[in-house]
């Protein structure tokens, strides 16, 4: 193996967007024997933080490790190699990871040969990598979101040369097809349709940690969906930071509507997609969603704020009026549709009145679910340089008021399903009660239910008997008929 030179991240470079056409690499994944056999008799542990893109990346990391003969374990203490695939979206996400790395010291004392690797979006940040190098000697390997395919060689170096190995590319490289994947779900699968993001919302670090937007070819995506269908997968979720911009970098207009229609035609039972940006959501998309029964009537449509001035400073590129128009059209055309959203409170200098506008929008949309966050300043983003007069107490109070409203509407919306029958894809036994099954309805409602002869991965009719704020309880139809 060649001598290894460390490469550290550089956020200024990460910001650059080139006009170069993305190169798609599709060599067959093949490893030299010594690398392939590295994991014989060795075990790995992998923990994922953050979004679905990271979950899907972890499935690739797992696939690569298994191709190197490593075996997965669920307990950190049993592992020879530990992986944390991290998220950088907010400071508290990072603090959690730092806390958990701190605890690894103890594990290393028990097992000095233990290798600890950190990957994902935190690895793309200069300040994080500098801190890890200066203060966390227990970290052996750092690699980023753009070079997961390099993992076999990096891990080999960290283990065999016994030296700290850091390789983070600041700019995206090729789209690498054909990487091995070990999917965590047996009946639900994530399918990447694009990588990166070019939106540069002023608060967000993702365009820096994930690089420029690169769409996969439609033919590659469809092939993946076809093979998932053959393997018996019931549900797929098409993934991208901004799925409605799919194909723009390939010169396509309204590429996502086209892709979604083709995916629907494969006949895979359930299709979801995430995340939709309101700015790029075409009206044509609404009609494609309406036309195909296997596109689920549930949409995550992040709004971030209900105030036009704040939306403008956030760089979101739409107004409250545009959002409401899209929302109304979707409701009109697809009456059973449910909505979830993301909202940030306490954006720099957000006034009380501007916050009230967000509450008013929540009253208008009456979301089924919302992920709500206090604004967190992120390295190198424009918003991090904006003066901020809102106190932390005020922000926390706004979040609480908002959350109360969100719970109220979630509960109210759920009442609609009482004494109705929903189609539920069975995930397995409920986490809380081992005699109760759980799964999601077409509308993306979490349903806990009882029943006989229930198989995981099956779609069953469930009669709803009780409604809670964030879940529904019911009985599988067969049992009721007996
Ligand atoms: N690409 C998706 C969102 C990815 S991040 C989209 O555009 O909708 C998920 C959510 O985290 C965002 O929707 C936003 O609400 C939140 N978020 C992102 N950066 C944040 C920050 N700096 N502080 C607080 N919340 C943030
Ligand atoms: Fe971040 Fe905006 Fe891109 Fe979403 S669209 S990932 S919020 S920059
Ligand atoms: Fe987090 Fe990176 Fe996803 S910052 S939300 S893991 S794209």
């Amino acid at each position: 193996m060649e001598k290894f030179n460390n490469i550290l991240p550089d956020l200024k470079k990460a910001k650059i967007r080139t006009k170069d056409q993305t190169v798609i690499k599709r060599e067959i994944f093949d490893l030299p024997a010594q690398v392939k056999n590295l994991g014989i008799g060795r075990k790995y542990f992998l923990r994922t933080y953050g979004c679905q893109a990271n979950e899907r990346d972890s499935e690739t990391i797992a696939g690569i490790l298994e191709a190197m003969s490593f075996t997965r374990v669920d307990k950190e203490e049993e592992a020879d190699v530990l992986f944390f695939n991290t998220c950088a979206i907010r400071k508290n996400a990072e603090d959690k990871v730092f806390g958990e790395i701190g605890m690894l010291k103890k594990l290393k004392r028990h097992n000095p040969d233990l290798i600890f690797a950190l990957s994902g979006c935190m690895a793309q940040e200069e300040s994080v990598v500098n801190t890890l190098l200066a203060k966390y000697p227990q970290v052996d390997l750092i690699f980023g979101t753009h070079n997961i395919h390099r993992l076999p060689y990096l891990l080999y170096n960290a283990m065999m040369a016994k030296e700290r190995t850091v390789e983070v590319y600041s700019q995206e490289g090729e789209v690498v097809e054909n990487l091995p994947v070990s999917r965590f779900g047996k009946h639900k699968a994530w399918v990447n349709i694009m990588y990166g993001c070019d939106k540069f919302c002023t608060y967000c670090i993702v365009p820096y940690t994930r690089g420029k937007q690169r769409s996969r070819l439609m033919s590659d995506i469809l092939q993946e969906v076809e093979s998932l269908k053959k393997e018996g997968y019931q549900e797929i979720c098409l993934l991208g930071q901004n799925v409605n911009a799919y194909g723009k970098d390939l010169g396509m207009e309204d590429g996502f509507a086209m892709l979604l229609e083709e995916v629907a035609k494969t006949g895979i039972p359930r299709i979801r997609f995430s995340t939709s940006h309101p700015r790029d959501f075409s009206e044509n998309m609404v009609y494609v969603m309406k036309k195909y029964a296997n596109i689920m009537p549930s949409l995550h449509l992040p709004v971030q704020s209900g105030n036009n001035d704040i939306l403008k400073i956030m760089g979101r590129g739409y107004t409250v009026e545009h959002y409401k128009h899209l929302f109304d059209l979707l409701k009109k055309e697809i009456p059973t549709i449910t909505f979830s959203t993301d909202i940030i409170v306490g954006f720099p200098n957000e006034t009380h009145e501007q916050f009230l506008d967000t509450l008013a929008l929540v009253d208008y949309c009456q979301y089924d679910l919302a992920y709500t966050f206090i604004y967190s300043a992120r390295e190198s983003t424009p918003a991090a340089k904006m003066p901020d007069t809102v106190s932390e107490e005020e922000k926390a109070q706004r979040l609480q008021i908002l959350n109360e409203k969100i719970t109220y509407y979630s509960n109210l919306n759920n009442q609609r399903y009482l004494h109705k029958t929903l189609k539920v894809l069975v995930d397995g036994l409920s986490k809380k009660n081992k005699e109760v099954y759980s799964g999601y309805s077409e509308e993306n409602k979490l349903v806990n239910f009882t029943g006989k002869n229930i198989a995981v991965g099956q779609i069953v009719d469930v009669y709803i008997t009780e409604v809670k704020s964030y879940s529904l309880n019911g009985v599988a139809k067969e049992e009721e008929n007996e």
Side-chain angles (χ1 to χ4, degrees):
M1 293 280 146
E2 84 260 36
K3 175 85 187 90
F4 185 84
N5 290 317
N6 283 346
I7 304 175
L8 272 59
D10 175 342
L11 284 173
K12 276 207 192 77
K13 262 200 217 154
K15 196 174 174 177
I16 298 169
R17 292 297 185 263
T18 64
K19 292 252 179 299
D20 306 347
Q21 186 71 47
T22 304
V23 176
I24 299 181
K25 206 171 148 190
R26 39 177 96 250
E27 281 112 73
I28 299 302
F29 186 80
D30 197 17
L31 297 172
Q34 78 252 53
V35 176
K36 209 183 213 161
N37 297 333
L38 191 66
I40 293 178
R42 291 191 167 116
K43 303 186 186 85
Y44 78 95
F45 170 90
L46 167 61
R47 180 177 296 148
T48 312
Y49 303 81
C51 66
Q52 295 127 334
N54 242 21
E55 280 289 332
R56 179 62 188 77
D57 281 352
S58 283
E59 293 181 339
T60 301
I61 292 173
I64 292 175
L65 291 172
E66 284 160 31
M68 294 169 74
S69 316
F70 285 92
T71 316
R72 187 166 182 175
V73 288
D74 294 332
K75 292 201 182 94
E76 282 155 285
E77 313 81 75
E78 291 174 6
D80 302 288
V81 192
L82 283 173
F83 283 85
F84 283 3
N85 194 19
T86 63
C87 169
I89 202 79
R90 283 167 293 275
K91 185 168 180 297
N92 56 8
E94 292 189 356
D95 290 346
K96 194 169 151 203
V97 172
F98 276 116
E100 282 170 26
I101 304 172
M103 294 197 280
L104 292 180
K105 267 198 185 152
K106 212 169 74 194
L107 281 181
K108 279 221 160 177
R109 238 176 276 136
H110 291 295
N111 176 8
D113 290 331
L114 179 70
I115 293 283
F116 174 70
L118 184 137
S119 62
C121 288
M122 275 174 75
Q124 296 291 138
E125 287 181 281
E126 277 169 55
S127 64
V128 167
V129 172
N130 289 338
T131 307
L132 290 173
L133 292 178
K135 297 196 187 137
Y136 293 83
Q138 62 269 47
V139 183
D140 304 287
L141 167 60
I142 302 173
F143 63 102
T145 59
H146 300 311
N147 62 342
I148 294 175
H149 58 285
R150 294 265 305 146
L151 171 59
Y153 307 97
L154 302 175
L155 185 56
Y156 188 87
N157 190 70
M159 286 174 77
M160 305 316 272
K162 293 205 187 317
E163 58 184 22
R164 258 185 147 183
T165 306
V166 183
E167 188 182 271
V168 180
Y169 300 165
S170 298
Q171 277 185 291
E172 66 290 332
E174 308 94 346
V175 164
V176 188
E177 295 287 344
N178 299 334
L179 287 179
V181 51
S182 170
R183 295 192 191 269
F184 301 152
K186 295 278 168 280
H187 55 273
K188 292 205 270 200
W190 309 113
V191 176
N192 281 322
I193 64 165
M194 67 210 291
Y195 305 96
C197 179
D198 290 340
K199 279 280 178 275
F200 287 100
C201 302
T202 54
Y203 51 81
C204 184
I205 199 167
V206 172
Y208 307 80
T209 63
R210 295 270 166 181
K212 80 167 181 180
Q213 174 175 324
R214 289 146 292 148
S215 299
R216 289 178 70 201
L217 293 186
M218 194 133 104
S219 50
D220 287 327
I221 299 166
L222 290 173
Q223 210 173 28
E224 186 174 343
V225 174
E226 288 288 1
S227 64
L228 287 167
K229 188 184 161 205
K230 267 199 212 106
E231 288 169 45
Y233 279 86
Q234 297 292 311
E235 181 174 309
I236 55 156
C237 182
L238 306 174
L239 290 185
Q241 291 302 337
N242 175 8
V243 290
N244 295 82
Y246 168 78
K248 283 198 171 159
D249 51 309
L250 300 173
M252 296 161 92
E253 262 315 306
D254 212 2
F256 190 57
M258 219 185 302
L259 173 72
L260 192 61
E261 179 145 32
E262 291 308 312
V263 171
K265 283 188 199 156
T266 64
I268 189 127
R270 286 180 164 205
I271 302 159
R272 300 187 193 276
F273 51 89
S274 190
T275 306
S276 282
H277 193 298
R279 180 177 166 179
D280 293 316
F281 204 107
S282 69
E283 295 208 352
N284 196 15
M285 263 291 299
V286 179
Y287 298 105
V288 173
M289 284 183 77
K290 180 182 175 170
K291 186 168 165 194
Y292 294 93
N294 57 349
I295 303 175
M296 294 297 100
S298 141
L299 183 65
H300 185 58
L301 197 61
V303 70
Q304 314 299 356
S305 165
N307 176 271
N308 280 337
D309 291 331
I310 293 287
L311 285 174
K312 194 155 188 201
I313 313 171
M314 285 178 162
R316 291 291 288 177
Y318 54 83
T319 58
V320 173
E321 294 70 33
H322 172 89
Y323 186 92
K324 283 182 176 170
H325 171 77
L326 181 60
F327 179 90
D328 291 341
L329 181 68
L330 282 153
K331 272 241 142 150
K332 180 170 135 251
E333 295 298 334
I334 309 163
T336 57
I337 197 167
T338 58
F339 285 92
S340 58
T341 198
D342 293 345
I343 296 171
I344 298 175
V345 299
F347 188 80
N349 280 345
E350 181 192 58
T351 64
H352 185 66
E353 287 67 34
Q354 288 170 327
F355 169 64
L356 292 181
D357 286 344
T358 296
L359 293 183
L361 185 80
V362 172
D363 283 328
Y364 187 89
C365 295
Q366 308 197 351
Y367 294 104
D368 290 87
L369 189 68
Y371 301 93
T372 56
F373 312 104
I374 293 181
Y375 165 77
S376 164
R378 303 285 62 214
E379 192 181 356
S380 287
T381 60
K385 296 178 198 83
M386 296 177 191
D388 188 2
T389 51
V390 193
S391 71
E392 288 309 311
E393 291 94 308
E394 177 69 32
K395 292 184 187 195
Q397 209 177 10
R398 286 183 194 172
L399 185 70
Q400 200 191 340
I401 295 169
L402 175 64
N403 284 345
E404 278 164 20
K405 212 179 239 318
I406 296 291
T407 304
Y408 170 78
Y409 285 118
S410 180
N411 191 305
L412 186 73
N413 284 320
N414 281 353
Q415 300 300 332
R416 263 188 274 156
Y417 303 104
L418 188 63
H419 306 315
K420 297 269 163 38
T421 299
L422 297 181
K423 293 206 174 305
V424 176
L425 172 56
V426 187
D427 280 333
L429 287 167
S430 145
K431 282 191 191 115
K432 287 190 196 141
N433 184 339
K434 292 292 162 224
E435 276 150 34
V436 173
Y437 293 91
S438 80
Y440 284 85
S441 75
E442 297 191 324
E443 303 78 2
N444 212 20
K445 294 285 171 187
L446 174 61
V447 183
N448 293 309
F449 63 99
T450 53
K452 280 187 195 136
N453 304 323
I454 302 291
V456 171
Q458 199 185 11
I459 295 174
V460 291
D461 284 336
V462 177
Y463 180 76
I464 303 303
T465 53
E466 196 188 346
V467 169
K468 302 192 164 181
S469 292
Y470 289 105
S471 62
L472 306 171
N473 291 344
V475 190
K477 265 287 171 82
E478 281 86 348
E479 191 182 61
E480 199 204 24
N481 292 340
E482 273 172 9

